[in-house]
Amino acid sequence: FQAEDGIRNARVDGFVPGSVLKVVMKNFMTYDYTEIQPGPRLNLLLGPNGTGKSSFVCAICVGLAGAPKLLGRADRPSEFIKRGQNSAEVEITLCSSDPSKPLVISRKMKKDNSSEWRLDGELVGVKKVTEVIGALNVQLDNLCQFLPQDRVVAFAELKPPELLLETEKAIGNASLHRDHEQLVQMRGNILGLEQTVKQHGEMLERLRSQNAELERDVERFQQLEAMKEEIRIMEMKRPWLKVFKAKENFVASKEKLKEAKALLRQKEQQLQQYKAPLSASKQAYEAASLKRKTLKNELTRLDSQRAASEEMLIGMGHEVENHELQIKMVHQKAADNVAKIQRLEGDIVERQEQLARLPPPVDHQAEIHQLGEELKQLHNEQRELQFQRDHQAEQQELPRRNLNTIADKLRRMDDLRNQRIQAIARAINPGILSAVEFVQNNQDKFQKRVYGPVAAEVQISNPQHAKYLEQQCGANLWACFVTQCGADRDYLNKEFKARRMDSSVRNYNGNAEAPIPIPNNLQDLGKYGIECTLDMTYEAPQVVKHILKDSHGTHKVFVGTGRTSGMMQKVTEETDIHQVWTPEACFTTITSKYDRSAKSTRSNATRDCRLLMNNGGSAQEKEQLQMKKQECEEQINFSIEKCQEIDAQIKDLDVRINEKKQRKQALLTETRESQKERAKITDSIAHKKQMLKMSQQANKAPAEEEAKIRRTISMKNNERFNKLSALADLFERMKIKEIEMAATALEQGERCIQAEHYQRQLVERENDGAQALHIKQQLEKIVKEDKEKFHTLHEEANRLAPKDPDPERQRVLEAKLEALPRDMDELDELIAEKKAEADAMFISNPDVLRIYTNRREEIGKLAEKLEVESEQLAGQQTQIDVLREAWLPELRECIQKMNASFEANFAAIGCTGMLELHEQGEDFEKYEVCIKVKFRAEETLQVLSSQRQSGGERSVSTMLYLIALQEFTKCPFRVVDEINQGMDATNERKIFTKMVQAATSPNTPQCFLLTPKLLPQLDYSEEITILNIFNGPLIAPIAKTWVPGSKWWQPAT
């Protein structure tokens, strides 16, 4: 329905601030775009189910910042966006205090659940919109003002205290509700304060009583404390007496240290007289030592040269002897060479005679060649057989690969069952694994086979069909087990319960082999893109298919294509199909309970599979794979047998080849042995001849070698003479150095004796100085210790007996200290007497004074706190009394007036009803308003509840309560969705009359009543605005006959 702005401006005078002037919806739920302009009083929104009446209610709620949960049908804003769109927009125009400036609130909702708010075109936050709505007293969370279709039952189920709170919210400006909540809060606060005041009062009396009992002990304790104070003053003088003694010791040790320092200076002066001669003697001794060391090094060098020359002369003598020995060896070598030549000539003659005596060589070449040809032929045969075997092995590869592929497919099919069972365990029933194991291990105990879980028994190849089937049947069915007789079902349920396995069992008693019916018109439905029923998309054991058919009607649910989605209007009008699955959504046709020809379509989006994912194939495909597996295994076995036959032939050839090779090897060995001895003798003769030739050549020049050696001997003797002359000169130089070194040694000894004398004198003086230094150091240590002891005792005395900051008290203390003995022993004796006197006094509780003092302070603090809390309690009680005197009379008056209207309205329809306010003193949380009704004469008044009254009676009571409440409400509008459903015709007519009277009277808020139908011949008035909502492809021509503002009985011409 769409109206022009001029019409609205003409009627704006009848609206109150906060009333709805216009609602615009874009891509919202079922609407592409529409505008609705209601009237200022009663607005009737009529239309068949599914046409979009409740979409108007949803638009008001989400457009005015209401929470989606108030509608009871959605949780997120994105769920209100029309399918296929990315955003939706709702624009609501409200009447403001200035009629010429209406308030326009716009909300744009997006897929990510974010929203964009605008107020009079300006971008704002949701908080600003909420403040504006609250200022207009729009209470979308109050069921007395905003009652959507899905929350009608919730109003009837309100408890009396809750009903009172909702009523208070709706009355006036909700001040009664605020006062009530404040009273509840203040009463909660005061309860704790009352308990605290009571406890603190009791505690104060108890503490005062306890302190009174301690006063006598406190007096005796104070006397003891005075005596302890005298002892303390006496003990304060003890550390000062120690300080005085330490100071005397410190002064005496300082005098002794001064004398020790003077003696040390005298010893140091005597020591300096011996240091200069000692230093000169040491320098002379060191010079003599350096000279002696230099001479010693020179002698060592000359001695090294001597030793080297002597060693060289010895070596030259040995070389001359070696050359003379070489001459003798040349003569001996020539003689040995002549003998060797004679021996070699004899050996050559002997080997030649031995060679002549050997038999002729053996020749087996012909037989060896024959064996080679035979071996060649056998090897050819062996290669041929090996080729055949390799061919057979290759023949196995293809079947083996096929076998592995088939095994993998079968394994994946088996794993699919486990995958689905694991998915059920994660998503539905964690104990399904134990249940599956129990069923598998106990199949022998069942009378018939048990299937399950159902998800593991279904084989479906099309992933899209799997989505349809899983969403159609629901999660609980897929996790259940299927039995075929009642005894198996009872046994399984008993065992599952005993083992705490939360698994369900379904039993099928029918004929499992009976075929599942197929629709007769399935072929005719192809023109709509419909391919089959959902039951035809999967394979499973027949009993499982019957379970799915009986529980979820899979044989009546159709599967379509994308083309079906665009033709759903035709499908709904031209066929009796109830449900169709397409890739876009599941479409469900809803037929009105009041008019069987009135149909509407609801769609739900498809979801991804959680249980029927990763399908591995059908049962028929699995059987075909098993047959292929058997064929591959037969092919492989046949090929293996052929290979074994060929292996036997190859083995026989190997035996024959080895025999031929052994015979050939024997002939070759015999031939080599006959030739080996002849070759050995021939080689020996050649070697002897070579040695003979070399010996003959070596015997030609011994005289030349001897002459050469004698020339070398002459040269060596000349070198030996020169070396001897140099050695004699070296001995002369060494003699001179040794004499000079002896004189230096005598001088060094003399200087050493002189230095030792001075050293002994110096040591004696150093010992005297060291002794004096030691005495000085000991005295310094004593002085330091006496000083530290003095300071320590002084600090300790200041700590133990500090000065009083008050000069007068300090003067008194010093006088007391001066009067005490100055002798330590006398002071200790006096302290001992006082302590004995103090010990003689018996105090049963040493902490009595501390306890008494602490408790007295605690009493003072508690008394002050109790006085403050008592004042707070009195003040808060006064506030409660003042607020209750303002709240309760007004509430009583409102309930009395509402009760009068409620009784009158009930009497008008021939029934009895009343409202009662149950007061509970200061227990404000338990205040309640009760609705009591009586619809039949023989009944008594009963509190309205879902257990006693029917749905229609509760609707009548709810509507009459809202009418009674209307006089007191200051809300700008009220929404009631399908409240008349369930009423009989008589009550509905009476209630409608009362609504018209209440909604059209002056100073009443705007009201919206949504219903799919109304009774005929109802009484209407000019204050009623009827908004007819229709949808469908045939509505456009009809809508053209209406113009905005026309009467329902006066269509445009």
Side-chain angles (χ1 to χ4, degrees):
F1 180 80
Q2 188 171 359
E4 296 179 355
D5 293 340
I7 300 297
R8 179 183 59 76
N9 291 331
R11 300 163 58 202
V12 75
D13 293 338
F15 290 87
V16 298
S19 300
V20 179
L21 299 178
K22 182 171 66 172
V23 177
V24 179
M25 292 173 279
K26 300 176 184 178
N27 297 328
F28 186 82
M29 298 183 70
T30 58
Y31 293 107
D32 289 328
Y33 179 87
T34 189
E35 293 184 9
I36 297 178
Q37 293 186 344
R41 295 283 184 252
L42 178 61
N43 293 270
L44 298 179
L45 275 76
L46 305 178
N49 288 328
T51 55
K53 300 185 303 300
S54 296
S55 298
F56 170 75
V57 178
C58 295
I60 290 179
C61 179
V62 300
L64 297 180
K69 64 181 182 181
L70 296 177
L71 301 168
R73 60 169 58 196
D75 296 325
R76 298 182 299 274
S78 61
E79 297 182 32
F80 295 101
I81 301 174
K82 186 177 182 180
R83 186 177 306 282
Q85 302 296 326
N86 294 322
S87 63
E89 187 173 352
V90 175
E91 182 183 289
I92 299 178
T93 303
L94 301 179
C95 181
S96 65
S97 57
D98 185 357
S100 62
K101 295 181 179 180
L103 185 66
V104 181
I105 299 173
S106 173
R107 181 181 186 179
K108 185 176 182 180
M109 294 162 285
K110 302 178 183 178
K111 281 287 187 180
D112 59 358
N113 293 309
S114 63
S115 296
E116 181 181 289
W117 294 89
R118 292 185 181 275
L119 186 61
D120 291 334
E122 181 182 354
L123 193 64
V124 296
V126 65
K127 184 178 180 181
K128 178 65 176 178
V129 175
T130 305
E131 292 174 355
V132 172
I133 297 302
L136 294 173
N137 200 30
V138 176
Q139 303 174 12
L140 296 177
D141 57 346
N142 189 343
L143 294 178
C144 293
Q145 177 178 346
F146 190 77
L147 190 61
Q149 176 183 352
D150 295 313
R151 301 196 68 195
V152 171
V153 177
F155 184 90
E157 294 178 351
L158 287 175
K159 296 178 181 179
E162 296 173 345
L163 180 60
L164 176 59
L165 293 177
E166 296 295 333
T167 302
E168 288 176 334
K169 289 180 185 178
I171 292 176
N173 57 1
S175 61
L176 284 175
H177 179 256
R178 287 194 298 273
D179 293 345
H180 191 176
E181 284 190 334
Q182 188 175 358
L183 284 169
V184 171
Q185 182 179 3
M186 292 171 65
R187 182 56 187 166
N189 295 337
I190 204 174
L191 286 176
L193 187 58
E194 286 177 349
Q195 185 67 21
T196 301
V197 170
K198 181 180 178 181
Q199 292 176 353
H200 286 173
E202 294 174 352
M203 184 183 295
L204 183 62
E205 291 301 321
R206 186 170 60 255
L207 292 175
R208 286 173 174 170
S209 175
Q210 291 173 351
N211 248 20
E213 297 175 358
L214 295 178
E215 289 179 354
R216 186 166 49 188
D217 290 339
V218 169
E219 182 179 355
R220 294 181 60 199
F221 186 82
Q222 289 174 345
Q223 294 176 359
L224 179 61
E225 288 298 313
M227 190 173 294
K228 287 182 178 180
E229 177 63 18
E230 292 181 15
I231 296 172
R232 186 185 69 83
I233 294 174
M234 293 177 185
E235 289 181 341
M236 286 177 64
K237 190 165 184 178
R238 294 183 80 257
W240 287 108
L241 292 178
K242 292 180 182 180
V243 170
F244 298 151
K245 182 64 176 177
K247 185 175 181 181
E248 293 175 359
N249 294 337
F250 173 57
V251 172
S253 58
K254 281 177 66 177
E255 289 297 327
K256 291 180 181 180
L257 177 60
K258 183 177 180 182
E259 295 174 0
K261 288 181 178 180
L263 179 61
L264 180 61
R265 286 193 296 271
Q266 180 182 357
K267 295 297 182 181
E268 288 177 349
Q269 291 174 359
Q270 293 176 358
L271 183 63
Q272 293 298 326
Q273 297 176 1
Y274 292 93
K275 285 186 177 181
L278 177 61
S279 177
S281 298
K282 286 184 177 181
Q283 290 177 0
Y285 174 77
E286 290 175 356
S289 298
L290 179 60
K291 183 178 180 181
R292 185 181 178 186
K293 184 178 180 181
T294 303
L295 292 173
K296 186 177 179 180
N297 291 338
E298 182 66 18
L299 280 173
T300 301
R301 185 182 62 80
L302 294 175
D303 189 59
S304 298
Q305 291 179 3
R306 176 197 57 77
S309 298
E310 289 178 351
E311 186 177 355
M312 187 177 294
L313 285 171
I314 293 171
M316 288 180 177
H318 289 162
E319 288 180 1
V320 171
E321 290 175 358
N322 289 336
H323 287 311
E324 290 176 351
L325 183 60
Q326 287 179 4
I327 293 173
K328 292 180 181 180
M329 290 177 64
V330 167
H331 292 163
Q332 183 64 37
K333 185 178 180 181
D336 292 342
N337 197 31
V338 171
K340 183 179 180 181
I341 290 172
Q342 293 174 356
R343 188 174 61 255
L344 288 172
E345 289 175 347
D347 290 341
I348 290 172
V349 172
E350 184 180 354
R351 291 288 188 271
Q352 288 175 349
E353 292 175 355
Q354 186 180 359
L355 181 61
R357 290 194 299 269
L358 289 176
V362 180
D363 186 8
H364 295 296
Q365 290 299 323
E367 187 176 357
I368 291 173
H369 178 73
Q370 179 65 27
L371 289 172
E373 292 297 326
E374 292 176 359
L375 282 170
K376 184 176 181 181
Q377 184 177 357
L378 291 174
H379 280 304
N380 290 336
E381 294 178 5
Q382 188 182 41
R383 281 194 293 273
E384 180 62 26
L385 290 174
Q386 186 64 43
F387 175 76
Q388 295 178 10
R389 191 189 186 288
D390 293 342
H391 178 68
Q392 289 296 332
E394 291 176 358
Q395 292 296 320
Q396 297 178 25
E397 288 300 320
L398 181 59
R400 285 186 187 277
R401 287 197 297 271
N402 293 339
L403 183 63
N404 292 335
T405 302
I406 293 170
D408 289 341
K409 290 183 178 179
L410 291 173
R411 192 181 306 109
R412 285 196 297 271
M413 289 183 179
D414 293 338
D415 289 345
L416 176 64
R417 176 181 176 85
N418 294 330
Q419 291 175 12
R420 290 182 177 176
I421 293 173
Q422 291 291 341
I424 294 172
R426 289 191 301 270
I428 303 174
N429 181 8
I432 193 67
L433 300 175
S434 302
V436 170
E437 182 180 2
F438 174 79
V439 172
Q440 290 176 347
N441 296 336
N442 295 275
Q443 281 286 353
D444 56 330
K445 297 181 182 179
F446 301 119
Q447 297 181 12
K448 293 184 179 181
R449 181 176 176 182
V450 175
Y451 297 93
V454 173
E457 302 294 346
V458 172
Q459 304 293 334
I460 185 165
S461 58
N462 190 318
Q464 195 68 32
H465 294 168
K467 294 181 182 179
Y468 303 161
L469 185 62
E470 180 176 329
Q471 194 168 346
Q472 176 71 28
C473 295
N476 292 330
L477 175 66
W478 297 117
C480 75
F481 293 83
V482 178
T483 60
Q484 301 184 65
C485 68
D488 289 346
R489 176 197 58 203
D490 296 341
Y491 170 73
L492 201 54
N493 280 326
K494 178 182 177 183
E495 293 298 327
F496 282 171
K497 184 177 181 181
R499 289 171 169 78
R500 297 182 179 180
M501 300 176 184
D502 188 15
S503 298
S504 60
V505 181
R506 296 200 181 189
N507 186 61
Y508 183 72
N509 289 323
N511 182 11
E513 302 302 325
I516 295 176
I518 300 175
N520 296 328
N521 61 341
L522 184 60
Q523 293 183 352
D524 297 335
L525 297 176
K527 61 183 178 180
Y528 304 112
I530 295 176
E531 300 174 335
C532 59
T533 62
L534 191 58
D535 187 70
M536 301 167 66
T537 61
Y538 67 96
E539 293 184 8
Q542 200 67 10
V543 63
V544 175
K545 298 195 73 169
H546 277 285
I547 286 292
L548 268 64
K549 173 183 75 70
D550 295 346
S551 60
H552 292 86
T554 54
H555 64 303
K556 295 181 180 180
V557 178
F558 292 85
V559 177
T561 61
R563 185 160 60 95
T564 310
S565 301
M567 303 179 67
M568 277 309 301
Q569 187 67 32
K570 287 188 176 182
V571 172
T572 303
E573 295 173 353
E574 300 176 3
T575 68
D576 294 331
I577 292 177
H578 173 67
Q579 190 173 9
V580 179
W581 283 93
T582 69
E584 289 77 17
C586 174
F587 295 92
T588 304
T589 301
I590 302 173
T591 303
S592 175
K593 297 178 182 178
Y594 311 102
D595 184 1
R596 303 303 297 177
S597 62
K599 297 181 180 180
S600 61
T601 303
R602 183 182 66 207
S603 63
N604 294 317
T606 59
R607 299 189 298 268
D608 292 336
C609 285
R610 293 188 304 165
L611 306 177
L612 301 183
M613 67 293 184
N614 299 330
N615 202 326
S618 64
Q620 181 179 2
E621 182 181 356
K622 185 174 182 179
E623 183 178 356
Q624 292 175 354
L625 289 174
Q626 291 286 4
M627 295 176 61
K628 290 182 180 180
K629 178 181 178 183
Q630 184 176 358
E631 291 176 1
C632 291
E633 289 174 346
E634 290 176 355
Q635 293 176 6
I636 292 171
N637 292 333
F638 174 77
S639 180
I640 291 173
E641 291 175 358
K642 294 294 292 182
C643 287
Q644 290 174 349
E645 293 176 2
I646 295 172
D647 287 341
Q649 296 177 11
I650 292 174
K651 185 176 181 181
D652 181 60
L653 283 176
D654 287 338
V655 172
R656 294 171 59 189
I657 288 172
N658 288 335
E659 292 175 352
K660 297 292 184 182
K661 285 183 176 179
Q662 290 174 2
R663 173 59 182 164
K664 182 179 179 181
Q665 186 64 34
L667 293 176
L668 290 172
T669 301
E670 183 179 354
T671 301
R672 283 196 299 270
E673 288 296 331
S674 65
Q675 294 176 353
K676 183 177 180 181
E677 185 66 24
R678 183 177 295 277
K680 180 179 178 181
I681 296 173
T682 304
D683 293 341
S684 179
I685 292 172
H687 179 64
K688 296 292 183 181
K689 288 181 177 180
Q690 182 68 24
M691 292 179 63
L692 177 62
K693 184 178 180 181
M694 292 173 60
S695 297
Q696 290 173 349
Q697 292 177 354
N699 201 29
K700 291 182 179 180
E704 296 178 359
E705 188 174 356
E706 181 181 357
K708 183 178 180 182
I709 292 173
R710 290 194 180 278
R711 286 194 297 270
T712 302
I713 290 172
S714 177
M715 292 173 61
K716 289 296 179 181
N717 286 332
N718 291 334
E719 291 180 4
R720 289 173 69 195
F721 178 76
N722 294 331
K723 289 293 181 181
L724 283 171
S725 299
L727 184 60
D729 294 338
L730 184 60
F731 276 123
E732 186 65 24
R733 290 163 57 194
M734 289 178 65
K735 183 178 179 181
I736 295 172
K737 293 295 183 181
E738 288 175 353
I739 295 171
E740 187 177 355
M741 184 176 177
T744 304
L746 289 175
E747 183 182 1
Q748 183 182 7
E750 183 181 355
R751 296 300 183 184
C752 181
I753 292 171
Q754 187 179 10
E756 289 177 355
H757 169 72
Y758 288 121
Q759 182 68 35
R760 284 193 300 271
Q761 296 295 324
L762 183 63
V763 167
E764 292 177 0
R765 300 298 181 272
E766 286 179 345
N767 289 337
D768 294 342
Q771 186 176 2
L773 178 62
H774 177 69
I775 293 171
K776 170 183 169 291
Q777 291 174 345
Q778 290 294 325
L779 288 173
E780 286 178 343
K781 183 177 180 181
I782 292 171
V783 169
K784 182 179 180 181
E785 291 175 353
D786 289 345
K787 183 178 180 180
E788 291 177 353
K789 184 176 180 181
F790 169 71
H791 287 298
T792 301
L793 292 173
H794 193 275
E795 291 175 358
E796 184 177 0
N798 286 326
R799 180 177 58 83
L800 297 175
K803 290 184 178 181
D804 197 305
D806 186 357
E808 182 61 27
R809 287 200 301 267
Q810 179 63 23
R811 187 183 61 78
V812 173
L813 177 62
E814 290 177 353
K816 291 180 179 179
L817 291 174
E818 186 64 28
L820 294 174
R822 298 181 65 87
D823 183 70
M824 183 69 73
D825 295 336
E826 293 179 7
L827 184 62
D828 289 342
E829 184 178 351
L830 183 58
I831 291 173
E833 292 176 359
K834 289 294 182 180
K835 285 184 176 180
E837 186 179 352
D839 292 340
M841 297 183 68
F842 176 74
I843 300 297
S844 59
N845 186 1
D847 294 333
V848 62
L849 183 60
R850 179 184 57 80
I851 295 173
Y852 180 85
T853 304
N854 293 343
R855 190 176 292 155
R856 186 172 58 188
E857 293 177 358
E858 185 178 358
I859 289 172
K861 293 178 181 178
L862 187 58
E864 294 177 0
K865 187 175 183 180
L866 181 60
E867 183 179 357
V868 172
E869 290 173 346
S870 299
E871 292 177 356
Q872 290 178 353
L873 179 61
Q876 292 184 14
Q877 185 62 50
T878 302
Q879 292 177 2
I880 290 176
D881 295 340
V882 171
L883 185 60
R884 179 174 56 182
E885 290 302 321
W887 167 73
L888 187 57
E890 184 180 354
L891 178 63
R892 288 171 180 165
E893 182 181 358
C894 290
I895 298 300
Q896 289 173 0
K897 291 181 179 180
M898 287 177 59
N899 181 51
S901 175
F902 191 72
E903 288 180 344
N905 291 336
F906 254 90
I909 64 173
C911 301
T912 304
M914 66 178 296
L915 303 178
E916 290 184 353
L917 176 64
H918 292 175
E919 301 178 13
Q920 302 294 334
E922 290 192 351
D923 196 355
F924 300 108
E925 286 184 338
K926 296 182 179 179
Y927 274 63
E928 58 186 29
V929 60
C930 291
I931 301 176
K932 292 186 176 181
V933 295
K934 184 178 75 171
F935 287 91
R936 284 163 285 278
E938 65 275 8
E939 294 179 348
T940 60
L941 282 171
Q942 300 287 342
V943 176
L944 180 68
S945 69
S946 59
Q947 288 77 27
R948 294 190 181 95
Q949 285 78 28
S950 66
E953 291 170 346
R954 293 199 303 273
S955 297
V956 169
S957 302
T958 300
M959 202 64 230
L960 292 179
Y961 185 83
L962 295 177
I963 293 172
L965 179 64
Q966 182 165 296
E967 178 184 349
F968 304 95
T969 59
K970 301 300 180 181
C971 60
F973 64 85
R974 178 181 290 116
V975 177
V976 183
D977 191 358
E978 297 194 16
I979 192 67
N980 60 335
Q981 298 302 304
M983 295 184 188
D984 56 32
T986 302
N987 285 334
E988 183 176 354
R989 188 176 298 278
K990 293 176 180 179
I991 292 299
F992 183 80
T993 301
K994 288 293 180 183
M995 285 186 62
V996 171
Q997 293 174 357
T1000 56
S1001 60
N1003 299 321
T1004 55
Q1006 186 183 38
C1007 183
F1008 295 92
L1009 176 63
L1010 287 79
T1011 179
K1013 54 88 180 179
L1014 284 175
L1015 296 173
Q1017 303 301 321
L1018 292 176
D1019 293 330
Y1020 296 90
S1021 71
E1022 290 292 335
E1023 300 296 331
I1024 300 176
T1025 301
I1026 300 177
L1027 304 172
N1028 288 298
I1029 299 179
F1030 298 98
N1031 62 13
L1034 303 179
I1035 198 65
I1038 299 175
K1040 293 179 180 178
T1041 63
W1042 298 84
V1043 295
S1046 62
K1047 307 300 182 182
W1048 64 271
W1049 61 85
Q1050 296 177 353
T1053 58

